[in-house]
Amino acid sequence: MLVDPQIVERGTLVTWDHPTVGTVRQPRNPVVHSGELLPLADVAAEVGEHTDAVLAATGRSAQQISELRAAGVVA
């Protein structure tokens, strides 16, 4: 499949550098709009990357968040 002429010609598989796991090869979105391929989606958040912001938005204080983290309740 990796060398199939249609896959290669359409640029179905793309290689890019992921910020934490290194080089990744993945299928691209197959939709073509006005002759242009859609860009790759953003990288998904890391585990716990937004924990503080989400908990703060629910009204928890920095100390409460720290206590939850220390207790292993959140990442």
Side-chain angles (χ1 to χ4, degrees), residues 25-48:
R25 191 168 193 191
Q26 72 180 51
R28 157 184 295 290
N29 188 319
V31 175
V32 178
H33 182 66
S34 297
E36 298 289 326
L37 290 168
L38 295 177
L40 292 173
D42 288 335
V43 176
E46 295 290 324
V47 173

Side-chain angles (χ1 to χ4, degrees), residues 3-4 8 11-12 20-21 23 26 28 32 36-37 48 53-54 56 59 71:
V3 294
D4 179 271
V8 172
T12 302
T20 56
V21 299
T23 302
Q26 72 180 51
R28 157 184 295 290
V32 178
E36 298 289 326
L37 290 168
V54 170

Side-chain angles (χ1 to χ4, degrees), residues 47-48 51-52 55 60 64-75:
V47 173
T51 300
D52 290 356
L55 292 174
R60 288 175 174 75
Q64 288 173 318
I65 295 169
S66 180
E67 290 168 359
L68 290 170
R69 192 175 308 285
V73 175
V74 297

